[in-house]
Amino acid sequence: MGDWHKTGCVLCAQNCGLEILVEEGRMVKVRPDKDNPRSEGYACRKGLNVLYHQYPADRLTHPLKRVGDAFVPISWDQAMEEIAEKLKTGLAAHGPRSFAYLGASAQGGHMEAGFGVSLMRAFGSQNLYTSAGQEFSGAWWVQGRMFGKQYILTGPDEHETQMLVAWGWNGMQSHQMPKTPKVLKEISKDPQRLLVAVDPRKSETAEIADIHLALRPGTDALLIKAMIAILVQEGWEKTEYLEAHCEGWERIRPWFENFDSRAALLVCGLAHETVYELCRLMATRRWGFHPDLGIYMGRHSTLNSYLLNVLGAVCGIFGQRGGNIIPGMVMPLGFHADERSEKVWKSAVTGMPPAAAGSFPCSILPEEILTDHKDRIRSIIVSTCNPLRSWPDTQALEKAFLSLDLLVVCDMVMSESARLAHYVLPCRSFYESYDGTFFPWTYPEVYFQLRRPLVKPHGESLEASQIFTLLADRLGLIPEIPEKVMEAASKDRMTFGAELMGWIANHPEHLSKMLFILGKTLGKTWDSAALAALWGMMMTAPKSFRKNAARAGFETGFDMGDRIFQALLDHPQGLWVGKVDTENNLKEVKTPSGKIDLFIEELAEKAASLNAEEEIKALTLPEDFPLVLNAGRHRSTNMNTLMRNPEWIQGKRGCTIAVHPEEAAKLGLQDKDTVRVVTEGGSAIGELEVKEDVRPGMVLIPHGFGLIYDGVKWGFNVNDLTLHTHRDPIGTPLHRFVPCRLEVCGEEKGL
């Protein structure tokens, strides 16, 4: 008999509560955790199959060094010594711009991010690349301009809303809020509430929606501008709200006053009366919107996010219960990096800003490496991500990685990125480590779950946080720690804290190395640098977090952080660690005026000039690529690259090329035939899936396939079809609008 342990899913940002049965040191069974206060017993099929993530065939056991075309096992001591020496040599020769950290992207654990960023900053570098830069560069840049900080991520108050608008989001498959399918079904079935889907195809979410706007692919910005114009021309704008909480409205209002919404909606393929009625509802109901990749990675990516925020402001929904609110945070997902500041780097070659809360867009990375520019990136550490399957233009990225002076990959498996590395360092899985995530998906409560090890580490693997601490130590970045501080790490936490802060008070220059100091002291005692960092974070939490914690019932006092830390240890199912002030949510806006800034100078000309006539021309597809590829379809059978064993799909169809019956008929093809899809970036052969819910003229391919598992490649990689240069001006790849064509393959078989 084994024991059931409370933990959380690590496969998506919702981290639903799970209970896992451990027998003889091995995880053997999974069920939803009914005691989890956020997920309340909900878990999707991905989480219930997390054993496939924990036990893949390609787990790493020892540090590896590339020697010729093979990898040989080496000791941790040798790995740290050689990597540190190569980093020192590279930085001395080429400066801090030559180094980049690719990480801080895990869906299941965020603690390594602080260590990776600390190492990067210790080198004097700002070259951070995360998966947020893959999807959210434009959107988070807009948030920074309108709300004052790029990490202020507004979202719908779904439990209080009267109407939820899913814009470019198929929540029934991709989640992105707690218990998404359950919540969406409840709204759909409630006669007092409405569910609206804005999506070119009849997705699983659109299927249950009360209103479905099946707009023409690539026309989101035009549709939003038309909707704002209807609101303005009908006098439905919330004037008092705009005056009280926004600035810049009078500067942008002329963009909509005489805009021809009827002509625009013809281009969008939508009936004017349908959109007009939705606008009327928006003017009279408490509503919120949930955008996703259909907006973020569609045509006019950044402009989409900007105009959608303007639409929300015109209707007065930001900061209001049932509208789009600013949630509380344990820790921001990144940091504000305004490129207008001289202190903030732009990328050396492309001149792109670090728009995604400090992260540069992933799409520019090949150009930042494959160049003779003096400040090109030459050395990279990759942690908790797999760029060679998850980021755009795999072919260009592979070429770039092969040209690096040093590539170090920290992962639990021999991933596709690890196969090109000079050194591969084995990480513990998230069920062998202490860790947690800081996704701010709840309101008004603030949730956090501290996951703890359920099974022993595999081989000689270490936490990513431990690896960064070891490397920092070998590089001489950790100051000499007094013996009394080291000894105090084995005593109670408050004694250690007193010794530590007494030392730091006399040496404030060491504050920037605090994570590494904690990792080397408490982290050594606890065998977890991540756990040590979390304690330090709780002890030094800002005033805003402490106020939220007090509202949640934690008594104030000098030891408040330590008591919250202990509560997290005592509640493995997670708990509410804070509650935001619901009376004045907009006080969280951090612009100079304290109001939502509706005028973004860099987007003004584009927003003002957007019109039906010009969009008709721009939407015309080339003759050789007459279809639109949605590269990265969300479905319940794809899991990024975290589920490497294809058996987890359990007989369901995974990597397919989905089209409407009309497109299949044009080529004389039927369901399950083999077909080739071709783009400007490349081609791939796969199984055709013929479905009525796919819009004619579109092709849907999921992401997360083309993995090499146990020596065999299964499925194909959709990023072989994408070009890194097919992107928005802020850098977000336009994966939801890739021109393509289909070709008959005869007897050829897909991979």
Side-chain angles (χ1 to χ4, degrees):
M1 293 293 292
D3 296 311
W4 287 94
H5 298 268
K6 293 183 181 297
T7 183
C9 178
V10 299
L11 300 178
C12 93
Q14 293 315 307
N15 305 128
C16 295
L18 300 176
E19 289 188 305
I20 296 182
L21 179 63
V22 177
E23 293 180 348
E24 298 180 351
R26 186 176 177 87
M27 296 161 49
V28 296
K29 193 173 182 179
V30 183
R31 67 188 183 194
D33 181 10
K34 296 179 181 179
D35 294 328
N36 185 287
R38 182 173 61 175
S39 57
E40 298 177 322
Y42 173 83
C44 76
R45 66 179 303 273
K46 296 178 182 180
L48 297 178
N49 281 282
V50 78
L51 297 184
Y52 286 98
H53 167 70
Q54 172 65 22
Y55 296 113
D58 45 6
R59 276 299 300 267
L60 298 170
T61 58
H62 301 79
L64 300 174
K65 176 183 179 179
R66 178 180 292 280
V67 179
D69 295 329
F71 286 99
V72 297
I74 58 175
S75 67
W76 276 107
D77 188 65
Q78 181 183 345
M80 292 297 101
E81 180 64 29
E82 293 185 7
I83 293 170
E85 185 59 34
K86 292 178 186 295
L87 285 171
K88 287 179 182 178
T89 300
L91 289 164
H94 306 294
R97 279 190 174 269
S98 66
F99 175 79
Y101 160 51
L102 281 55
S105 304
Q107 301 285 352
H110 289 165
M111 294 309 300
E112 65 89 27
F115 289 84
V117 170
S118 293
L119 185 71
M120 176 191 76
R121 287 175 172 169
F123 292 158
S125 177
Q126 295 181 25
N127 285 328
L128 171 64
Y129 288 81
T130 76
S131 292
Q134 157 85 328
E135 301 172 346
F136 307 125
S137 287
W140 290 13
W141 181 84
V142 165
Q143 291 297 112
R145 292 302 174 89
M146 298 185 77
F147 291 88
K149 301 294 181 183
Q150 293 167 354
Y151 55 76
I152 295 179
L153 308 179
T154 52
D157 182 13
E158 68 270 16
H159 298 295
E160 295 290 331
T161 194
Q162 294 175 341
M163 181 170 71
L164 179 64
V165 180
W167 203 307
W169 172 54
N170 186 14
M172 291 298 292
Q173 292 285 300
S174 64
H175 292 73
Q176 300 178 15
M177 65 170 57
K179 305 170 291 184
T180 305
K182 182 180 178 181
V183 170
L184 293 182
K185 289 177 182 177
E186 288 174 350
I187 295 174
S188 175
K189 293 177 181 179
D190 188 339
Q192 303 301 316
R193 300 201 287 172
L194 293 173
L195 177 63
V196 179
V198 184
D199 196 310
R201 75 182 188 94
K202 195 167 187 177
S203 67
E204 289 82 355
T205 302
E207 181 70 34
I208 67 169
D210 299 284
I211 300 172
H212 175 207
L213 297 188
L215 77 168
R216 179 181 179 180
T219 61
D220 298 88
L222 193 63
L223 170 58
I224 302 167
K225 187 172 183 180
M227 295 173 74
I228 300 171
I230 291 171
L231 289 160
V232 169
Q233 292 165 19
E234 292 297 325
W236 292 341
E237 64 199 87
K238 302 296 184 183
T239 304
E240 292 184 5
Y241 177 92
L242 289 165
E243 290 178 352
H245 301 298
C246 304
E247 66 174 353
W249 173 236
E250 292 307 317
R251 299 184 70 178
I252 71 173
R253 194 178 192 278
W255 302 348
F256 312 104
E257 290 174 335
N258 298 308
F259 183 74
D260 190 344
S261 61
R262 290 184 180 273
L265 295 176
L266 282 174
V267 178
C268 297
L270 298 171
H272 183 272
E273 56 269 23
T274 302
V275 178
Y276 182 92
E277 174 60 17
L278 178 57
C279 291
R280 187 190 67 78
L281 291 169
M282 288 179 166
T284 56
R285 291 196 173 218
R286 297 196 319 271
W287 66 279
F289 64 88
H290 192 304
D292 194 27
L293 302 188
I295 285 281
Y296 301 144
M297 304 182 87
R299 285 185 69 247
H300 297 310
S301 169
T302 304
L303 187 62
N304 292 340
S305 295
Y306 176 41
L307 290 176
L308 193 53
N309 275 0
V310 172
L311 174 64
V314 168
C315 294
I317 69 171
F318 287 111
Q320 310 301 308
R321 290 308 308 257
N324 276 49
I325 44 74
I326 300 172
M329 295 177 282
V330 175
M331 175 67 70
L333 294 180
F335 49 89
H336 186 57
D338 191 332
E339 77 277 7
R340 293 172 295 184
S341 168
E342 294 182 356
K343 296 181 180 180
V344 175
W345 287 2
K346 289 186 178 180
S347 61
V349 178
T350 59
M352 286 282 185
S359 171
F360 286 104
C362 303
S363 63
I364 68 172
L365 189 56
E367 291 157 276
E368 299 297 322
I369 299 172
L370 296 171
T371 176
D372 58 1
H373 194 287
K374 66 180 181 65
D375 288 329
R376 75 177 180 90
I377 293 173
R378 300 167 185 267
S379 300
I380 285 177
I381 294 179
V382 178
S383 179
T384 66
C385 60
N386 186 11
L388 281 185
R389 284 300 177 270
S390 301
W391 294 5
D393 201 339
T394 302
Q395 297 170 72
L397 202 54
E398 181 172 328
K399 183 179 179 182
F401 274 22
L402 287 170
S403 74
L404 290 168
D405 295 342
L406 176 66
L407 175 61
V408 179
V409 173
C410 307
D411 208 323
M412 62 179 281
V413 296
M414 181 58 81
S415 69
E416 288 68 29
S417 299
R419 292 171 186 271
L420 300 187
H422 299 101
Y423 295 88
V424 183
L425 305 179
C427 282
R428 295 177 182 177
S429 81
F430 292 124
Y431 296 107
E432 300 161 357
S433 313
Y434 286 98
D435 219 319
T437 63
F438 303 114
F439 294 115
W441 302 151
T442 54
Y443 182 86
E445 293 84 4
V446 182
Y447 174 83
F448 189 76
Q449 181 181 31
L450 171 61
R451 280 182 288 95
R452 67 281 323 281
L454 303 186
V455 292
K456 292 182 179 180
H458 186 70
E460 296 181 4
S461 59
L462 298 174
E463 292 177 346
S465 302
Q466 291 175 314
I467 295 173
F468 281 119
T469 301
L470 282 176
L471 185 55
D473 204 16
R474 191 59 62 100
L475 286 161
L477 299 176
I478 304 178
E480 184 175 351
I481 302 172
E483 188 62 32
K484 62 180 181 179
V485 176
M486 294 294 296
E487 291 176 353
S490 299
K491 301 177 182 178
D492 67 272
R493 297 190 297 262
M494 298 308 290
T495 297
F496 170 75
E499 289 288 353
L500 176 66
M501 296 316 296
W503 172 51
I504 291 296
N506 294 317
H507 296 278
E509 69 274 14
H510 298 333
L511 274 172
S512 63
K513 310 299 193 307
M514 181 55 74
L515 283 185
F516 297 131
I517 293 170
L518 288 169
K520 190 174 180 179
T521 53
L522 276 187
K524 182 178 180 181
T525 300
W526 295 347
D527 189 24
S528 175
L531 186 62
L534 180 64
W535 177 79
M537 189 176 73
M538 291 292 116
M539 290 296 292
T540 58
K543 185 182 295 185
S544 58
F545 174 82
R546 291 173 177 266
K547 286 183 177 179
N548 287 342
R551 291 191 195 96
F554 288 96
E555 292 185 11
T556 57
F558 75 95
D559 63 340
M560 184 187 205
D562 187 72
R563 284 185 280 106
I564 295 174
F565 179 79
Q566 186 61 51
L568 291 169
L569 288 172
D570 294 339
H571 295 80
Q573 70 271 35
L575 76 159
W576 304 116
V577 296
K579 185 176 182 179
V580 303
D581 179 5
T582 59
E583 298 301 315
N584 187 16
N585 187 240
L586 289 179
K587 72 179 181 182
E588 301 300 327
V589 173
K590 303 300 182 184
T591 58
S593 67
K595 295 183 177 183
I596 302 169
D597 195 343
L598 299 182
F599 180 78
I600 299 181
E601 184 174 1
E602 294 90 337
L603 296 176
E605 182 179 352
K606 192 172 185 179
S609 63
L610 184 70
N611 63 73
E613 184 178 357
E614 294 301 318
E615 282 294 272
I616 290 174
K617 299 176 185 177
L619 286 162
T620 302
L621 294 169
E623 290 185 6
D624 51 344
F625 298 118
L627 305 175
V628 174
L629 168 64
N630 181 319
R633 174 189 184 188
H634 282 143
R635 61 193 314 185
S636 63
T637 51
N638 65 307
M639 193 57 262
N640 299 317
T641 64
L642 297 177
M643 297 283 241
R644 302 184 63 83
N645 185 344
E647 292 180 5
W648 90 272
I649 294 178
Q650 299 172 342
K652 297 181 181 293
R653 300 177 76 175
C655 187
T656 62
I657 300 168
V659 300
H660 189 272
E662 289 182 14
E663 303 303 336
K666 290 176 184 177
L667 296 175
L669 295 172
Q670 297 180 349
D671 189 61
K672 297 187 178 181
D673 281 348
T674 301
V675 67
R676 176 186 288 109
V677 60
V678 184
T679 69
E680 186 181 355
S683 65
I685 297 172
E687 178 187 306
L688 188 68
E689 183 176 4
V690 181
K691 296 199 68 178
E692 292 282 351
D693 63 11
V694 182
R695 184 187 180 99
M698 291 189 73
V699 178
L700 309 181
I701 299 176
H703 61 278
F705 292 91
L707 304 178
I708 301 170
Y709 181 76
D710 206 14
V712 178
K713 181 179 178 182
W714 59 285
F716 63 89
N717 172 24
V718 72
N719 281 313
D720 283 333
L721 302 173
T722 63
L723 290 175
H724 66 280
T725 52
H726 182 59
R727 64 191 181 215
D728 180 84
I730 301 295
T732 307
L734 306 182
H735 283 359
R736 294 304 184 267
F737 199 91
V738 180
C740 74
R741 68 173 180 270
L742 296 178
E743 295 178 351
V744 178
C745 290
E747 297 301 317
E748 296 181 69
K749 300 296 182 183
L751 295 175

